[in-house]
Amino acid sequence: MKPLAPVDRASLVATRRDIHQHPELGFEETRTANLITDRLRGLNYHVTPGIGKTGVVGLKTNAGRCVLLRADMDALPVQEANAVPYRSQQAGKMHACGHDGHVAIGLEVARRLAPLDLGGSVKFAFQPAEEVSDGAQAMISDGVLEQPKVDAAFGIHLWNDLPVGTIGVMAGPVMASVDQFEIEILGRGGHAAAPHQTIDPVLVAAHVITALQSLVSRRRDPLSEAVVSVTEVHAGQAFNVIPDRAQLRGTVRTFGGSFFDDAPQLVKETAQGVAAAFGAQATVQYRRLSAPLINNEKLSALMRDVAADLIGAENVRQGVRTMGGEDMAFFLASVPGCFAFVGSAPKGGRASPHHSPTFDIDEESLVIGAELLSRVAVAYLRDDGR
Ligand code: NI
């Protein structure tokens, strides 16, 4: 096989900065999708736009197995506070999670793989709407894993919790399930000075919030990870009126296991039980947004070997996990694969957190990400033993 062409750093950075200046929210990524479509067609990929609404699939077929490489494309409703020349030109929208870099990396990998005889098919999934957890499912429903059938999937996230020059990769669950709950507490309103004539939903809500915290401390196996956060509280409109209802919203995060299975029932029972003790009623809506992201053991070992080869084994980090969610989980629930974290914080410097208005990356991480994904695709298609 011909060797991989060197990474074109200038083009990679230019593409990332172009997309950074033109951020688009989930399922609105039309400019980004058009740019991807044009570039992939120029490289002679078979391109199908409109997979999962604004998603784009690029395919290069060959006999043998099929590997899918996934890059998410969407931005966030954040106002950029960086004063860089390539800052967002859209008010209130920003690539504050690094997905601009993921697109640039995907296109660079496509450019490098295009002229090679890979011994198998490679399929690029440029995915919309990761931030709202809907894009991966939309692409899967539209058949991205079929024709040809995908045998393995790989992806990366640029990661500001790690310095550039390091990669986090490990088998098992590395990103958490994302569940959302909404609790409505129905009491009986009345005068603030006559609480005995009311059923105060504000007080009930306070007890429900406190009781929900005991799920993690008392209903979960302490050796398994979980978070329960109540993040919204809405009730009342006047200081001297006890309202008749209160609303709570929040999220449960896990790496799977029995607490993941039990959480919907536990949240419901807790809210309803506490409410009942006060003579109120609670209704609970519980929605699963995404499952935990679980890396396949063999393919994580493959990606770790590729990473070690690229940056040295001492720079490959074990144990990098987060309770944040990622809808790549849906791909990895359908086919085996691995999702790695590519360090993007400046060496020795401070990096702003993901989703913050001052988020930015060390662009050397783009080169490392492009190398990692290119090489892992080549290695997977070459290595029939795995
Ligand atoms: Ni992200």
Side-chain angles (χ1 to χ4, degrees):
M1 195 186 82
K2 279 196 286 183
L4 278 163
V7 169
D8 185 343
R9 189 184 199 280
S11 144
L12 195 45
V13 168
T15 304
R16 181 257 163 170
R17 291 184 177 193
D18 177 28
I19 296 166
H20 191 87
Q21 288 178 73
H22 302 98
E24 296 172 301
L25 301 182
F27 292 131
E28 296 172 4
E29 307 93 332
T30 50
R31 181 189 183 276
T32 311
N34 288 338
L35 183 152
I36 292 164
T37 300
D38 289 349
R39 294 273 286 272
L40 291 177
R41 285 200 173 129
L43 294 164
N44 290 323
Y45 280 86
H46 179 76
V47 184
T48 317
I51 300 293
K53 297 182 187 166
T54 42
V56 182
V57 176
L59 177 66
K60 175 176 147 68
T61 45
N62 208 323
R65 297 186 296 176
C66 177
V67 63
L68 179 137
L69 302 177
R70 177 269 205 176
D72 46 4
M73 324 189 277
D74 56 326
L76 285 157
V78 170
Q79 176 69 40
E80 177 152 16
N82 292 314
V84 290
Y86 52 88
R87 70 177 167 274
S88 168
Q89 294 177 3
Q90 298 290 322
K93 297 178 193 175
M94 178 188 175
H95 271 291
C97 197
H99 301 183
D100 49 347
H102 301 168
V103 173
I105 287 169
L107 288 172
E108 176 62 6
V109 174
R111 186 189 70 81
R112 296 176 85 206
L113 297 184
L116 303 185
D117 175 9
L118 294 165
S121 298
V122 60
K123 194 185 279 191
F124 289 89
F126 287 93
Q127 186 212 296
E130 190 284 323
E131 298 291 357
V132 289
S133 298
D134 285 339
Q137 279 176 303
M139 290 194 89
I140 292 169
S141 311
D142 281 358
V144 71
L145 295 176
E146 307 301 324
Q147 292 183 341
K149 194 165 160 29
V150 171
D151 295 294
F154 295 94
I156 56 123
H157 207 302
L158 297 171
W159 206 241
N160 268 12
D161 291 347
L162 291 175
V164 69
T166 64
I167 294 172
V169 52
M170 65 182 280
V174 298
M175 294 190 78
S177 59
V178 180
D179 295 349
Q180 182 198 75
F181 58 80
E182 290 183 36
I183 299 169
E184 174 135 45
I185 294 155
L186 297 170
R188 191 167 63 232
H191 202 295
H196 60 292
Q197 295 170 353
T198 75
I199 297 171
D200 181 358
V202 176
L203 180 63
V204 176
H207 280 273
V208 169
I209 293 167
T210 308
L212 287 173
Q213 290 311 309
S214 71
L215 298 184
V216 167
S217 69
R218 285 298 176 269
R219 302 296 291 270
R220 168 201 55 127
D221 176 343
L223 298 179
S224 75
E225 302 85 349
V227 175
V228 175
S229 290
V230 177
T231 52
E232 291 182 46
V233 184
H234 305 284
Q237 297 191 39
F239 89 99
N240 55 358
V241 176
I242 289 172
D244 62 0
R245 64 189 60 211
Q247 281 147 347
L248 306 174
R249 292 177 89 201
T251 186
V252 177
R253 309 293 175 107
T254 73
F255 285 135
S258 61
F259 191 76
F260 174 72
D261 297 336
D262 297 345
Q265 191 59 24
L266 287 173
V267 169
K268 195 173 169 195
E269 281 174 7
T270 302
Q272 292 181 339
V274 170
F278 288 84
Q281 280 183 319
T283 57
V284 179
Q285 312 273 353
Y286 198 97
R287 233 181 113 207
R288 296 231 193 255
L289 298 186
S290 67
L293 185 153
I294 299 171
N295 281 335
N296 173 272
E297 196 149 337
K298 279 183 180 171
L299 298 179
S300 302
L302 174 72
M303 206 166 187
R304 195 166 52 239
D305 290 349
V306 169
D309 210 43
L310 177 63
I311 55 165
E314 69 281 8
N315 293 314
V316 180
R317 302 278 174 87
Q318 274 284 341
V320 180
R321 301 198 289 169
T322 165
M323 298 308 283
E326 164 61 68
D327 75 355
M328 176 76 180
F330 289 103
F331 289 110
L332 297 186
S334 306
V335 295
C338 183
F339 190 72
F341 300 98
V342 173
S344 52
K347 258 188 196 133
R350 273 195 47 197
S352 287
H354 290 260
H355 295 201
S356 74
T358 51
F359 179 82
D360 204 354
I361 56 165
D362 184 318
E363 288 173 325
E364 186 59 24
S365 63
L366 301 171
V367 176
I368 294 170
E371 284 286 13
L372 179 64
L373 271 189
S374 305
R375 293 191 195 186
V376 83
V378 170
Y380 172 77
L381 292 176
R382 193 180 48 208
D383 186 0
D384 276 329
R386 290 196 190 250

